[in-house]
Amino acid sequence: MATERRTHGHTQPSMADVAAHAGVALGTVSNTLNSPQKVTERTRRRVLASIAELGFVRNDAARFLAAGTSTAVGLVVADLGNSFFVDIARGAEKVMRRQGLNVMIVNSDIDPDREIRNLQLFEQARVAGIILAPLDTPLIRSEHLPLQRTPTVLVNFESPSHAYAGVVVNERHGGALAARHLLDLGRRRLLFAGGPLFLGAVKERYDGASAAVREAPHASLDVLETRGLNIRHGRQLAQQILAMGPGRYDGIIAAADLLAIGLIETLSQTDGFRVPDDVAITGYDNNHFASESAIPITTVSQPGEEMGSAAADLLLDRIANPESPRETVTLEPHLISRRSSLGDIWQRDQV
């Protein structure tokens, strides 16, 4: 049964109420409103019927203006140099624009101090709410964000104590997808390249890959940690692999596309390490340049725009209904196969 909440003396049904009434996940309500092509016609009709019955209305800009609240929301991202976060921003902006709201985007540039200043800036500006794609630091894990009154939703990170609603990707499944792809190609001596493993997303990717390898006969998985996830870290790791001599690994699961690019740049220039003939490589994130590198990279694609859209919906729900449940929505990644693992089997799309 839907839970009624009252705002200014009137019943104000939330997205969570609609989801409960229709018997679907909150993400399904979000898709019905923003990406109806992603739900079946039967489900869409059920959600729309619940919306009509409950009287759920999305007119956020008018409501904020009437309440004397800002019609702007803030988006704090970890690194705009990573196109994954650009996709998140695009998805969030699309939802907010439909509601007549503006999105102000700031870049933390992988700097914890800058992330704190960005949050404080939005708090002082009295934005209606904040979507935070945080750095994996003690700050976000401690739940002591420098915010006192601003509704906040996380994206690409799950609140350990469920103090905040959020949107994440099933990273463990993503790691398993990469490993199974290489195993299906007959690769058996695998390496997980990435780190540091104390980063939650990287650890989940490794755990998923490790579980998939354990299920495969005569397969092994080593791990080599890096100090970061950029191209230079991939190049440095490639030098370690070269020092081991050819034949040690026939497949590498890189924890990020940038790592994969650094590995490919260095390894492919040496006999016995040709990519993918000797060593097949996968990346992660599906950065926009992953398909444009000298050897296009097989990668695990995260649904960045969908994550941004879902986070925006959660934030709107949080603003309208401060006491609504702090739900974390989990979305699924998918594998995109390219030349770095398939070689000549893969043909570049000419369209």
Side-chain angles (χ1 to χ4, degrees):
M1 178 180 294
T3 301
E4 289 190 353
R5 301 181 180 86
R6 296 189 174 274
T7 304
H8 305 300
H10 299 285
T11 298
Q12 176 60 54
S14 69
M15 280 181 56
D17 294 330
V18 173
H21 189 274
V24 299
L26 186 59
T28 302
V29 178
S30 174
N31 282 336
T32 300
L33 293 170
N34 300 298
S35 303
Q37 72 278 7
K38 294 181 179 179
V39 298
T40 65
E41 179 65 17
R42 180 179 180 182
T43 298
R44 189 182 71 85
R45 289 180 180 276
R46 186 163 74 248
V47 172
L48 292 177
S50 293
I51 288 174
E53 184 172 342
L54 294 177
F56 173 77
V57 177
R58 290 274 296 277
N59 189 8
D60 301 287
R63 183 168 66 250
F64 294 156
L65 286 171
T69 307
S70 170
T71 57
V73 298
L75 172 60
V76 182
V77 299
D79 180 17
L80 273 177
N82 185 330
S83 65
F84 168 60
F85 294 105
V86 175
D87 289 342
I88 288 175
R90 184 176 290 111
E93 196 274 337
K94 184 185 300 182
V95 171
M96 293 302 181
R97 186 176 64 246
R98 289 173 181 166
Q99 301 305 314
L101 304 175
N102 300 309
V103 178
M104 297 188 295
I105 304 171
V106 292
N107 178 30
S108 296
D109 205 21
I110 318 181
D111 182 342
D113 293 333
R114 188 170 176 178
E115 180 178 75
I116 293 173
R117 291 196 298 272
N118 286 335
L119 290 171
Q120 292 171 335
L121 171 67
F122 281 144
E123 177 95 303
Q124 293 164 5
R126 303 182 70 86
V127 295
I130 295 173
I131 297 173
L132 171 60
L135 300 169
D136 193 345
T137 63
L139 173 69
I140 189 63
R141 292 188 175 278
S142 70
E143 306 294 352
H144 295 305
L145 294 177
L147 301 168
Q148 296 182 2
R149 60 182 177 272
T150 309
T152 302
V153 167
L154 306 181
V155 61
N156 202 40
F157 192 90
E158 182 172 7
S159 171
S161 65
H162 304 288
Y164 302 96
V167 182
V168 297
V169 170
N170 188 343
E171 305 280 12
R172 188 181 179 93
H173 180 53
L177 285 175
R180 288 178 188 137
H181 174 70
L182 294 178
L183 292 167
D184 287 345
L185 293 174
R187 311 292 173 140
R188 287 296 181 268
R189 302 182 306 280
L190 305 186
L191 170 69
F192 183 88
L197 286 179
F198 65 73
L199 295 177
V202 175
K203 179 63 164 55
E204 287 292 312
R205 293 168 193 179
Y206 168 70
D207 288 344
S210 180
V213 171
R214 287 196 300 269
E215 295 174 354
H218 311 298
S220 62
L221 178 68
D222 289 346
V223 58
L224 287 176
E225 290 191 59
T226 58
R227 298 185 64 180
L229 299 170
N230 292 322
I231 292 176
R232 64 184 178 89
H233 299 114
R235 292 170 178 158
Q236 292 166 358
L237 182 58
Q239 292 297 334
Q240 296 181 46
I241 296 171
L242 288 172
M244 298 177 187
R248 179 68 175 268
Y249 303 112
D250 60 7
I252 298 177
I253 303 163
D257 289 334
L258 291 175
L259 273 178
I261 288 177
L263 285 164
I264 290 170
E265 285 182 355
T266 303
L267 293 179
S268 60
Q269 300 176 14
T270 304
D271 289 340
F273 295 90
R274 293 171 302 168
V275 178
D277 295 355
D278 301 313
V279 182
I281 295 179
T282 64
Y284 205 105
D285 286 337
N286 193 31
N287 272 293
H288 295 174
F289 47 76
S291 63
E292 301 300 327
S293 60
I295 299 178
I297 299 168
T298 292
T299 188
V300 176
S301 178
Q302 302 195 79
E305 285 198 38
E306 188 177 353
M307 293 173 71
S309 296
D313 279 322
L314 288 173
L315 181 59
L316 292 171
D317 199 41
R318 169 70 50 216
I319 293 168
N321 304 280
E323 301 305 317
S324 59
R326 270 67 168 173
E327 178 179 353
T328 294
V329 176
T330 301
L331 304 178
E332 295 296 330
H334 67 278
L335 185 88
I336 299 176
S337 301
R338 298 191 180 112
R339 193 179 299 276
S340 69
S341 64
L342 296 182
D344 292 337
I345 298 174
W346 180 82
Q347 296 294 323
R348 187 184 297 274
D349 188 355
Q350 299 296 322
V351 178

